[in-house]
Amino acid sequence: MPPRQRLSPAERRARLLVVGARLFAAAPYDDVLMEDVAKEAGVSRALLYQHFPSKRALFAAVYQKAADRLLAATLFDPEATLVEQLAQGLDAHLDYFIANRHAVLAANRVLAGDPVIQTIMTDELDALRSRLLGVLPLADERLRDAASAALKAWLVFVQVLCVDWLTRETCTRTELRDTCIGAAVGALRPLLPSDTAADRPTAARNPG
């Protein structure tokens, strides 16, 4: 057990989140024990439960932090092409999914019915959809609503496809990413200006 250190409550919580993230990434959810988290963090179980009353609460906090980091890492540059923006966002997420396979599978399968976990994922998907809408050259509100619905369905498609891929890799990572990009471009193309090409910067096409 690491030597115990005097930390502020915020520092202690941050330390527990780091340890929790590492353990949830290394093993299936059911195999991670709160006693192991406490031991790894160098705290008593009582102190751990003061910060997180249950394993689900700890996992939710870990997953929320991961979602926040992924949103921060997913920056849609209006000077980039649509394909480039989609590739950047997908690469950031795939990097995390691959490194934290057990945690992603736990959130999407073991804890699929947990309302807190589902809210975290829904909020992240909504934020991603809003950011993508902000860089698309949509002519009016009707097309914006249609694109919003298409992106909502596309993000769910990506989520399901990626979770399935983590379970059984039926294609390469590049093929997975390109399949997701192709689905998005295909869904959005009818809603964008007729002279829009997916390999041209979105900002240059944005009216006004």
mmCIF file of all heavy atoms in Angstrom, residues 54-103:
data_model
loop_
_atom_site.group_PDB
_atom_site.id
_atom_site.type_symbol
_atom_site.label_atom_id
_atom_site.label_comp_id
_atom_site.label_asym_id
_atom_site.label_seq_id
_atom_site.Cartn_x
_atom_site.Cartn_y
_atom_site.Cartn_z
ATOM 1 N N SER A 54 -20.666 4.481 -3.260
ATOM 2 C CA SER A 54 -20.811 3.176 -3.899
ATOM 3 C C SER A 54 -19.867 3.082 -5.087
ATOM 4 O O SER A 54 -19.317 4.087 -5.554
ATOM 5 C CB SER A 54 -22.249 2.973 -4.392
ATOM 6 O OG SER A 54 -22.534 3.884 -5.455
ATOM 7 N N LYS A 55 -19.690 1.863 -5.583
ATOM 8 C CA LYS A 55 -18.844 1.669 -6.762
ATOM 9 C C LYS A 55 -19.452 2.363 -7.969
ATOM 10 O O LYS A 55 -18.737 2.929 -8.803
ATOM 11 C CB LYS A 55 -18.647 0.175 -7.032
ATOM 12 C CG LYS A 55 -17.683 -0.098 -8.200
ATOM 13 C CD LYS A 55 -17.233 -1.544 -8.269
ATOM 14 C CE LYS A 55 -18.315 -2.453 -8.773
ATOM 15 N NZ LYS A 55 -17.800 -3.816 -9.101
ATOM 16 N N ARG A 56 -20.770 2.345 -8.069
ATOM 17 C CA ARG A 56 -21.427 3.031 -9.193
ATOM 18 C C ARG A 56 -21.164 4.530 -9.139
ATOM 19 O O ARG A 56 -20.983 5.178 -10.189
ATOM 20 C CB ARG A 56 -22.927 2.754 -9.179
ATOM 21 C CG ARG A 56 -23.291 1.355 -9.644
ATOM 22 C CD ARG A 56 -24.749 1.243 -10.034
ATOM 23 N NE ARG A 56 -25.060 -0.075 -10.556
ATOM 24 C CZ ARG A 56 -26.132 -0.352 -11.285
ATOM 25 N NH1 ARG A 56 -26.996 0.608 -11.585
ATOM 26 N NH2 ARG A 56 -26.346 -1.567 -11.726
ATOM 27 N N ALA A 57 -21.182 5.091 -7.944
ATOM 28 C CA ALA A 57 -20.927 6.530 -7.810
ATOM 29 C C ALA A 57 -19.502 6.866 -8.234
ATOM 30 O O ALA A 57 -19.256 7.885 -8.901
ATOM 31 C CB ALA A 57 -21.173 6.974 -6.375
ATOM 32 N N LEU A 58 -18.561 6.013 -7.862
ATOM 33 C CA LEU A 58 -17.172 6.218 -8.276
ATOM 34 C C LEU A 58 -17.049 6.096 -9.784
ATOM 35 O O LEU A 58 -16.414 6.937 -10.443
ATOM 36 C CB LEU A 58 -16.262 5.199 -7.585
ATOM 37 C CG LEU A 58 -14.794 5.195 -8.040
ATOM 38 C CD1 LEU A 58 -14.129 6.546 -7.782
ATOM 39 C CD2 LEU A 58 -14.021 4.074 -7.329
ATOM 40 N N PHE A 59 -17.654 5.069 -10.354
ATOM 41 C CA PHE A 59 -17.570 4.875 -11.799
ATOM 42 C C PHE A 59 -18.197 6.060 -12.540
ATOM 43 O O PHE A 59 -17.652 6.531 -13.543
ATOM 44 C CB PHE A 59 -18.266 3.584 -12.213
ATOM 45 C CG PHE A 59 -18.158 3.291 -13.690
ATOM 46 C CD1 PHE A 59 -17.071 2.595 -14.188
ATOM 47 C CD2 PHE A 59 -19.132 3.730 -14.579
ATOM 48 C CE1 PHE A 59 -16.949 2.343 -15.555
ATOM 49 C CE2 PHE A 59 -19.019 3.487 -15.932
ATOM 50 C CZ PHE A 59 -17.928 2.782 -16.420
ATOM 51 N N ALA A 60 -19.339 6.541 -12.050
ATOM 52 C CA ALA A 60 -20.008 7.676 -12.692
ATOM 53 C C ALA A 60 -19.112 8.906 -12.688
ATOM 54 O O ALA A 60 -19.025 9.638 -13.682
ATOM 55 C CB ALA A 60 -21.330 7.977 -11.998
ATOM 56 N N ALA A 61 -18.430 9.143 -11.575
ATOM 57 C CA ALA A 61 -17.523 10.290 -11.490
ATOM 58 C C ALA A 61 -16.343 10.126 -12.440
ATOM 59 O O ALA A 61 -15.905 11.088 -13.085
ATOM 60 C CB ALA A 61 -17.038 10.469 -10.060
ATOM 61 N N VAL A 62 -15.814 8.913 -12.526
ATOM 62 C CA VAL A 62 -14.716 8.622 -13.456
ATOM 63 C C VAL A 62 -15.170 8.849 -14.891
ATOM 64 O O VAL A 62 -14.468 9.475 -15.697
ATOM 65 C CB VAL A 62 -14.222 7.173 -13.269
ATOM 66 C CG1 VAL A 62 -13.335 6.746 -14.443
ATOM 67 C CG2 VAL A 62 -13.459 7.035 -11.959
ATOM 68 N N TYR A 63 -16.364 8.365 -15.217
ATOM 69 C CA TYR A 63 -16.855 8.471 -16.593
ATOM 70 C C TYR A 63 -17.205 9.906 -16.958
ATOM 71 O O TYR A 63 -17.021 10.323 -18.106
ATOM 72 C CB TYR A 63 -18.054 7.549 -16.799
ATOM 73 C CG TYR A 63 -18.099 6.962 -18.190
ATOM 74 C CD1 TYR A 63 -17.166 6.007 -18.584
ATOM 75 C CD2 TYR A 63 -19.044 7.373 -19.118
ATOM 76 C CE1 TYR A 63 -17.178 5.481 -19.870
ATOM 77 C CE2 TYR A 63 -19.065 6.851 -20.405
ATOM 78 C CZ TYR A 63 -18.131 5.912 -20.770
ATOM 79 O OH TYR A 63 -18.141 5.400 -22.051
ATOM 80 N N GLN A 64 -17.705 10.665 -15.992
ATOM 81 C CA GLN A 64 -17.990 12.082 -16.244
ATOM 82 C C GLN A 64 -16.712 12.843 -16.559
ATOM 83 O O GLN A 64 -16.676 13.671 -17.484
ATOM 84 C CB GLN A 64 -18.673 12.704 -15.019
ATOM 85 C CG GLN A 64 -19.003 14.188 -15.179
ATOM 86 C CD GLN A 64 -20.052 14.438 -16.234
ATOM 87 O OE1 GLN A 64 -21.223 14.121 -16.039
ATOM 88 N NE2 GLN A 64 -19.660 15.005 -17.376
ATOM 89 N N LYS A 65 -15.670 12.562 -15.806
ATOM 90 C CA LYS A 65 -14.388 13.223 -16.060
ATOM 91 C C LYS A 65 -13.861 12.854 -17.435
ATOM 92 O O LYS A 65 -13.325 13.713 -18.161
ATOM 93 C CB LYS A 65 -13.377 12.823 -14.979
ATOM 94 C CG LYS A 65 -12.072 13.593 -15.042
ATOM 95 C CD LYS A 65 -11.179 13.269 -13.855
ATOM 96 C CE LYS A 65 -9.873 14.067 -13.922
ATOM 97 N NZ LYS A 65 -8.990 13.765 -12.764
ATOM 98 N N ALA A 66 -14.024 11.594 -17.824
ATOM 99 C CA ALA A 66 -13.575 11.157 -19.149
ATOM 100 C C ALA A 66 -14.371 11.859 -20.240
ATOM 101 O O ALA A 66 -13.807 12.296 -21.253
ATOM 102 C CB ALA A 66 -13.712 9.645 -19.275
ATOM 103 N N ALA A 67 -15.686 11.990 -20.050
ATOM 104 C CA ALA A 67 -16.529 12.671 -21.034
ATOM 105 C C ALA A 67 -16.120 14.126 -21.178
ATOM 106 O O ALA A 67 -16.073 14.666 -22.289
ATOM 107 C CB ALA A 67 -17.997 12.566 -20.627
ATOM 108 N N ASP A 68 -15.810 14.765 -20.064
ATOM 109 C CA ASP A 68 -15.367 16.169 -20.106
ATOM 110 C C ASP A 68 -14.063 16.298 -20.887
ATOM 111 O O ASP A 68 -13.884 17.239 -21.671
ATOM 112 C CB ASP A 68 -15.183 16.707 -18.683
ATOM 113 C CG ASP A 68 -16.503 16.828 -17.927
ATOM 114 O OD1 ASP A 68 -17.560 16.833 -18.580
ATOM 115 O OD2 ASP A 68 -16.460 16.917 -16.691
ATOM 116 N N ARG A 69 -13.133 15.365 -20.655
ATOM 117 C CA ARG A 69 -11.856 15.406 -21.368
ATOM 118 C C ARG A 69 -12.049 15.173 -22.865
ATOM 119 O O ARG A 69 -11.392 15.809 -23.693
ATOM 120 C CB ARG A 69 -10.890 14.363 -20.793
ATOM 121 C CG ARG A 69 -10.296 14.721 -19.444
ATOM 122 C CD ARG A 69 -9.012 13.925 -19.185
ATOM 123 N NE ARG A 69 -9.213 12.505 -19.342
ATOM 124 C CZ ARG A 69 -9.579 11.677 -18.372
ATOM 125 N NH1 ARG A 69 -9.786 12.147 -17.153
ATOM 126 N NH2 ARG A 69 -9.731 10.382 -18.596
ATOM 127 N N LEU A 70 -12.947 14.265 -23.208
ATOM 128 C CA LEU A 70 -13.190 13.979 -24.616
ATOM 129 C C LEU A 70 -13.807 15.179 -25.326
ATOM 130 O O LEU A 70 -13.461 15.489 -26.469
ATOM 131 C CB LEU A 70 -14.096 12.752 -24.756
ATOM 132 C CG LEU A 70 -13.413 11.405 -24.533
ATOM 133 C CD1 LEU A 70 -14.443 10.289 -24.505
ATOM 134 C CD2 LEU A 70 -12.372 11.137 -25.611
ATOM 135 N N LEU A 71 -14.711 15.866 -24.655
ATOM 136 C CA LEU A 71 -15.295 17.068 -25.251
ATOM 137 C C LEU A 71 -14.235 18.142 -25.444
ATOM 138 O O LEU A 71 -14.216 18.841 -26.467
ATOM 139 C CB LEU A 71 -16.429 17.602 -24.367
ATOM 140 C CG LEU A 71 -17.767 16.867 -24.474
ATOM 141 C CD1 LEU A 71 -18.765 17.423 -23.463
ATOM 142 C CD2 LEU A 71 -18.331 16.982 -25.892
ATOM 143 N N ALA A 72 -13.348 18.273 -24.473
ATOM 144 C CA ALA A 72 -12.281 19.269 -24.585
ATOM 145 C C ALA A 72 -11.325 18.928 -25.723
ATOM 146 O O ALA A 72 -10.757 19.819 -26.366
ATOM 147 C CB ALA A 72 -11.519 19.368 -23.270
ATOM 148 N N ALA A 73 -11.150 17.620 -25.983
ATOM 149 C CA ALA A 73 -10.222 17.189 -27.022
ATOM 150 C C ALA A 73 -10.859 17.173 -28.404
ATOM 151 O O ALA A 73 -10.157 17.066 -29.412
ATOM 152 C CB ALA A 73 -9.693 15.789 -26.702
ATOM 153 N N THR A 74 -12.189 17.291 -28.454
ATOM 154 C CA THR A 74 -12.897 17.262 -29.735
ATOM 155 C C THR A 74 -13.209 18.690 -30.164
ATOM 156 O O THR A 74 -14.205 19.273 -29.753
ATOM 157 C CB THR A 74 -14.193 16.442 -29.626
ATOM 158 O OG1 THR A 74 -13.878 15.147 -29.102
ATOM 159 C CG2 THR A 74 -14.854 16.281 -30.976
ATOM 160 N N LEU A 75 -12.340 19.259 -30.964
ATOM 161 C CA LEU A 75 -12.465 20.647 -31.393
ATOM 162 C C LEU A 75 -12.755 20.683 -32.884
ATOM 163 O O LEU A 75 -11.913 20.277 -33.695
ATOM 164 C CB LEU A 75 -11.173 21.413 -31.073
ATOM 165 C CG LEU A 75 -10.737 21.383 -29.603
ATOM 166 C CD1 LEU A 75 -9.386 22.056 -29.442
ATOM 167 C CD2 LEU A 75 -11.786 22.056 -28.725
ATOM 168 N N PHE A 76 -13.938 21.155 -33.242
ATOM 169 C CA PHE A 76 -14.309 21.227 -34.648
ATOM 170 C C PHE A 76 -13.860 22.568 -35.218
ATOM 171 O O PHE A 76 -14.428 23.614 -34.921
ATOM 172 C CB PHE A 76 -15.815 21.036 -34.812
ATOM 173 C CG PHE A 76 -16.285 19.672 -34.383
ATOM 174 C CD1 PHE A 76 -17.154 19.524 -33.313
ATOM 175 C CD2 PHE A 76 -15.839 18.536 -35.030
ATOM 176 C CE1 PHE A 76 -17.584 18.268 -32.915
ATOM 177 C CE2 PHE A 76 -16.261 17.267 -34.634
ATOM 178 C CZ PHE A 76 -17.137 17.137 -33.578
ATOM 179 N N ASP A 77 -12.812 22.530 -36.019
ATOM 180 C CA ASP A 77 -12.225 23.726 -36.609
ATOM 181 C C ASP A 77 -12.994 24.101 -37.880
ATOM 182 O O ASP A 77 -12.999 23.335 -38.851
ATOM 183 C CB ASP A 77 -10.758 23.459 -36.940
ATOM 184 C CG ASP A 77 -10.069 24.646 -37.567
ATOM 185 O OD1 ASP A 77 -10.716 25.703 -37.708
ATOM 186 O OD2 ASP A 77 -8.889 24.525 -37.923
ATOM 187 N N PRO A 78 -13.661 25.258 -37.915
ATOM 188 C CA PRO A 78 -14.434 25.634 -39.102
ATOM 189 C C PRO A 78 -13.583 25.814 -40.353
ATOM 190 O O PRO A 78 -14.106 25.864 -41.461
ATOM 191 C CB PRO A 78 -15.099 26.948 -38.680
ATOM 192 C CG PRO A 78 -14.266 27.481 -37.572
ATOM 193 C CD PRO A 78 -13.746 26.272 -36.852
ATOM 194 N N GLU A 79 -12.268 25.923 -40.177
ATOM 195 C CA GLU A 79 -11.386 26.030 -41.341
ATOM 196 C C GLU A 79 -11.045 24.663 -41.925
ATOM 197 O O GLU A 79 -10.479 24.572 -43.023
ATOM 198 C CB GLU A 79 -10.086 26.747 -40.943
ATOM 199 C CG GLU A 79 -10.285 28.188 -40.491
ATOM 200 C CD GLU A 79 -10.857 29.060 -41.610
ATOM 201 O OE1 GLU A 79 -10.529 28.809 -42.785
ATOM 202 O OE2 GLU A 79 -11.650 29.970 -41.311
ATOM 203 N N ALA A 80 -11.370 23.603 -41.207
ATOM 204 C CA ALA A 80 -11.077 22.255 -41.684
ATOM 205 C C ALA A 80 -12.241 21.730 -42.515
ATOM 206 O O ALA A 80 -13.355 22.257 -42.475
ATOM 207 C CB ALA A 80 -10.821 21.332 -40.502
ATOM 208 N N THR A 81 -11.974 20.688 -43.283
ATOM 209 C CA THR A 81 -13.059 20.074 -44.040
ATOM 210 C C THR A 81 -13.951 19.278 -43.090
ATOM 211 O O THR A 81 -13.559 18.940 -41.966
ATOM 212 C CB THR A 81 -12.506 19.121 -45.114
ATOM 213 O OG1 THR A 81 -11.890 17.998 -44.453
ATOM 214 C CG2 THR A 81 -11.473 19.814 -45.996
ATOM 215 N N LEU A 82 -15.139 18.953 -43.570
ATOM 216 C CA LEU A 82 -16.060 18.158 -42.756
ATOM 217 C C LEU A 82 -15.435 16.812 -42.412
ATOM 218 O O LEU A 82 -15.503 16.357 -41.262
ATOM 219 C CB LEU A 82 -17.377 17.952 -43.512
ATOM 220 C CG LEU A 82 -18.416 17.057 -42.829
ATOM 221 C CD1 LEU A 82 -18.783 17.592 -41.454
ATOM 222 C CD2 LEU A 82 -19.657 16.919 -43.720
ATOM 223 N N VAL A 83 -14.813 16.172 -43.389
ATOM 224 C CA VAL A 83 -14.178 14.873 -43.142
ATOM 225 C C VAL A 83 -13.065 15.008 -42.111
ATOM 226 O O VAL A 83 -12.922 14.166 -41.213
ATOM 227 C CB VAL A 83 -13.636 14.276 -44.460
ATOM 228 C CG1 VAL A 83 -12.705 13.104 -44.172
ATOM 229 C CG2 VAL A 83 -14.791 13.814 -45.346
ATOM 230 N N GLU A 84 -12.258 16.069 -42.219
ATOM 231 C CA GLU A 84 -11.177 16.284 -41.257
ATOM 232 C C GLU A 84 -11.727 16.478 -39.844
ATOM 233 O O GLU A 84 -11.164 15.958 -38.873
ATOM 234 C CB GLU A 84 -10.345 17.495 -41.664
ATOM 235 C CG GLU A 84 -9.465 17.262 -42.875
ATOM 236 C CD GLU A 84 -8.830 18.539 -43.402
ATOM 237 O OE1 GLU A 84 -9.309 19.641 -43.043
ATOM 238 O OE2 GLU A 84 -7.865 18.434 -44.180
ATOM 239 N N GLN A 85 -12.813 17.207 -39.720
ATOM 240 C CA GLN A 85 -13.400 17.443 -38.402
ATOM 241 C C GLN A 85 -13.960 16.148 -37.809
ATOM 242 O O GLN A 85 -13.758 15.852 -36.624
ATOM 243 C CB GLN A 85 -14.512 18.492 -38.518
ATOM 244 C CG GLN A 85 -13.977 19.860 -38.871
ATOM 245 C CD GLN A 85 -15.077 20.883 -39.008
ATOM 246 O OE1 GLN A 85 -15.527 21.444 -38.014
ATOM 247 N NE2 GLN A 85 -15.525 21.122 -40.216
ATOM 248 N N LEU A 86 -14.642 15.390 -38.636
ATOM 249 C CA LEU A 86 -15.178 14.115 -38.157
ATOM 250 C C LEU A 86 -14.054 13.160 -37.770
ATOM 251 O O LEU A 86 -14.136 12.478 -36.748
ATOM 252 C CB LEU A 86 -16.056 13.487 -39.241
ATOM 253 C CG LEU A 86 -17.369 14.212 -39.558
ATOM 254 C CD1 LEU A 86 -18.015 13.599 -40.795
ATOM 255 C CD2 LEU A 86 -18.326 14.165 -38.378
ATOM 256 N N ALA A 87 -12.991 13.131 -38.580
ATOM 257 C CA ALA A 87 -11.864 12.243 -38.291
ATOM 258 C C ALA A 87 -11.201 12.627 -36.976
ATOM 259 O O ALA A 87 -10.838 11.754 -36.166
ATOM 260 C CB ALA A 87 -10.851 12.293 -39.433
ATOM 261 N N GLN A 88 -11.040 13.925 -36.738
ATOM 262 C CA GLN A 88 -10.400 14.378 -35.492
ATOM 263 C C GLN A 88 -11.223 13.957 -34.275
ATOM 264 O O GLN A 88 -10.685 13.439 -33.287
ATOM 265 C CB GLN A 88 -10.222 15.896 -35.518
ATOM 266 C CG GLN A 88 -9.395 16.475 -34.373
ATOM 267 C CD GLN A 88 -10.206 16.718 -33.107
ATOM 268 O OE1 GLN A 88 -11.406 16.972 -33.171
ATOM 269 N NE2 GLN A 88 -9.552 16.644 -31.955
ATOM 270 N N GLY A 89 -12.527 14.173 -34.345
ATOM 271 C CA GLY A 89 -13.382 13.798 -33.224
ATOM 272 C C GLY A 89 -13.424 12.301 -32.996
ATOM 273 O O GLY A 89 -13.359 11.828 -31.857
ATOM 274 N N LEU A 90 -13.513 11.541 -34.069
ATOM 275 C CA LEU A 90 -13.550 10.083 -33.939
ATOM 276 C C LEU A 90 -12.226 9.540 -33.416
ATOM 277 O O LEU A 90 -12.215 8.621 -32.584
ATOM 278 C CB LEU A 90 -13.885 9.451 -35.288
ATOM 279 C CG LEU A 90 -15.359 9.545 -35.698
ATOM 280 C CD1 LEU A 90 -15.524 9.235 -37.179
ATOM 281 C CD2 LEU A 90 -16.212 8.599 -34.859
ATOM 282 N N ASP A 91 -11.112 10.088 -33.884
ATOM 283 C CA ASP A 91 -9.819 9.618 -33.399
ATOM 284 C C ASP A 91 -9.666 9.845 -31.894
ATOM 285 O O ASP A 91 -9.145 8.992 -31.173
ATOM 286 C CB ASP A 91 -8.683 10.315 -34.153
ATOM 287 C CG ASP A 91 -8.402 9.684 -35.504
ATOM 288 O OD1 ASP A 91 -8.727 8.488 -35.674
ATOM 289 O OD2 ASP A 91 -7.872 10.375 -36.392
ATOM 290 N N ALA A 92 -10.105 11.008 -31.420
ATOM 291 C CA ALA A 92 -10.020 11.299 -29.984
ATOM 292 C C ALA A 92 -10.830 10.283 -29.187
ATOM 293 O O ALA A 92 -10.376 9.777 -28.151
ATOM 294 C CB ALA A 92 -10.514 12.715 -29.699
ATOM 295 N N HIS A 93 -12.027 9.964 -29.675
ATOM 296 C CA HIS A 93 -12.869 9.009 -28.961
ATOM 297 C C HIS A 93 -12.337 7.587 -29.067
ATOM 298 O O HIS A 93 -12.350 6.839 -28.080
ATOM 299 C CB HIS A 93 -14.308 9.099 -29.480
ATOM 300 C CG HIS A 93 -15.083 10.244 -28.916
ATOM 301 N ND1 HIS A 93 -14.839 11.564 -29.256
ATOM 302 C CD2 HIS A 93 -16.082 10.283 -27.992
ATOM 303 C CE1 HIS A 93 -15.657 12.339 -28.589
ATOM 304 N NE2 HIS A 93 -16.416 11.600 -27.803
ATOM 305 N N LEU A 94 -11.863 7.209 -30.244
ATOM 306 C CA LEU A 94 -11.337 5.851 -30.395
ATOM 307 C C LEU A 94 -10.089 5.636 -29.553
ATOM 308 O O LEU A 94 -9.882 4.547 -29.013
ATOM 309 C CB LEU A 94 -11.057 5.561 -31.870
ATOM 310 C CG LEU A 94 -12.298 5.335 -32.740
ATOM 311 C CD1 LEU A 94 -11.904 5.237 -34.211
ATOM 312 C CD2 LEU A 94 -13.049 4.083 -32.300
ATOM 313 N N ASP A 95 -9.260 6.664 -29.431
ATOM 314 C CA ASP A 95 -8.089 6.568 -28.550
ATOM 315 C C ASP A 95 -8.527 6.209 -27.132
ATOM 316 O O ASP A 95 -7.943 5.331 -26.484
ATOM 317 C CB ASP A 95 -7.313 7.885 -28.525
ATOM 318 C CG ASP A 95 -6.499 8.111 -29.789
ATOM 319 O OD1 ASP A 95 -6.295 7.149 -30.553
ATOM 320 O OD2 ASP A 95 -6.072 9.263 -30.014
ATOM 321 N N TYR A 96 -9.559 6.899 -26.652
ATOM 322 C CA TYR A 96 -10.050 6.633 -25.295
ATOM 323 C C TYR A 96 -10.713 5.254 -25.220
ATOM 324 O O TYR A 96 -10.466 4.488 -24.285
ATOM 325 C CB TYR A 96 -11.041 7.704 -24.851
ATOM 326 C CG TYR A 96 -11.660 7.384 -23.499
ATOM 327 C CD1 TYR A 96 -10.950 7.631 -22.321
ATOM 328 C CD2 TYR A 96 -12.907 6.779 -23.414
ATOM 329 C CE1 TYR A 96 -11.492 7.298 -21.084
ATOM 330 C CE2 TYR A 96 -13.456 6.444 -22.180
ATOM 331 C CZ TYR A 96 -12.743 6.703 -21.020
ATOM 332 O OH TYR A 96 -13.276 6.363 -19.803
ATOM 333 N N PHE A 97 -11.554 4.923 -26.200
ATOM 334 C CA PHE A 97 -12.262 3.645 -26.170
ATOM 335 C C PHE A 97 -11.297 2.468 -26.111
ATOM 336 O O PHE A 97 -11.502 1.512 -25.356
ATOM 337 C CB PHE A 97 -13.158 3.504 -27.405
ATOM 338 C CG PHE A 97 -14.334 4.436 -27.433
ATOM 339 C CD1 PHE A 97 -15.075 4.602 -28.590
ATOM 340 C CD2 PHE A 97 -14.702 5.160 -26.308
ATOM 341 C CE1 PHE A 97 -16.162 5.454 -28.627
ATOM 342 C CE2 PHE A 97 -15.787 6.020 -26.331
ATOM 343 C CZ PHE A 97 -16.523 6.164 -27.493
ATOM 344 N N ILE A 98 -10.250 2.528 -26.917
ATOM 345 C CA ILE A 98 -9.290 1.429 -26.970
ATOM 346 C C ILE A 98 -8.500 1.326 -25.671
ATOM 347 O O ILE A 98 -8.268 0.234 -25.151
ATOM 348 C CB ILE A 98 -8.355 1.605 -28.181
ATOM 349 C CG1 ILE A 98 -9.148 1.442 -29.484
ATOM 350 C CG2 ILE A 98 -7.197 0.612 -28.129
ATOM 351 C CD1 ILE A 98 -8.400 1.860 -30.722
ATOM 352 N N ALA A 99 -8.089 2.471 -25.129
ATOM 353 C CA ALA A 99 -7.306 2.469 -23.886
ATOM 354 C C ALA A 99 -8.156 2.121 -22.676
ATOM 355 O O ALA A 99 -7.625 1.680 -21.648
ATOM 356 C CB ALA A 99 -6.642 3.828 -23.689
ATOM 357 N N ASN A 100 -9.475 2.317 -22.775
ATOM 358 C CA ASN A 100 -10.366 2.102 -21.627
ATOM 359 C C ASN A 100 -11.528 1.187 -22.013
ATOM 360 O O ASN A 100 -12.677 1.434 -21.665
ATOM 361 C CB ASN A 100 -10.898 3.443 -21.123
ATOM 362 C CG ASN A 100 -9.806 4.355 -20.627
ATOM 363 O OD1 ASN A 100 -9.424 4.332 -19.466
ATOM 364 N ND2 ASN A 100 -9.289 5.190 -21.523
ATOM 365 N N ARG A 101 -11.192 0.127 -22.707
ATOM 366 C CA ARG A 101 -12.200 -0.787 -23.237
ATOM 367 C C ARG A 101 -13.166 -1.274 -22.164
ATOM 368 O O ARG A 101 -14.390 -1.264 -22.355
ATOM 369 C CB ARG A 101 -11.493 -1.975 -23.896
ATOM 370 C CG ARG A 101 -12.415 -3.081 -24.383
ATOM 371 C CD ARG A 101 -11.621 -4.205 -25.032
ATOM 372 N NE ARG A 101 -12.473 -5.328 -25.356
ATOM 373 C CZ ARG A 101 -12.783 -6.298 -24.502
ATOM 374 N NH1 ARG A 101 -12.281 -6.269 -23.273
ATOM 375 N NH2 ARG A 101 -13.565 -7.287 -24.862
ATOM 376 N N HIS A 102 -12.630 -1.710 -21.027
ATOM 377 C CA HIS A 102 -13.494 -2.250 -19.972
ATOM 378 C C HIS A 102 -14.463 -1.187 -19.445
ATOM 379 O O HIS A 102 -15.642 -1.483 -19.177
ATOM 380 C CB HIS A 102 -12.660 -2.806 -18.827
ATOM 381 C CG HIS A 102 -11.917 -4.058 -19.166
ATOM 382 N ND1 HIS A 102 -12.543 -5.224 -19.556
ATOM 383 C CD2 HIS A 102 -10.577 -4.333 -19.183
ATOM 384 C CE1 HIS A 102 -11.645 -6.160 -19.789
ATOM 385 N NE2 HIS A 102 -10.445 -5.650 -19.580
ATOM 386 N N ALA A 103 -13.992 0.028 -19.289
ATOM 387 C CA ALA A 103 -14.846 1.097 -18.784
ATOM 388 C C ALA A 103 -15.951 1.430 -19.782
ATOM 389 O O ALA A 103 -17.118 1.643 -19.403
ATOM 390 C CB ALA A 103 -14.015 2.343 -18.484
#
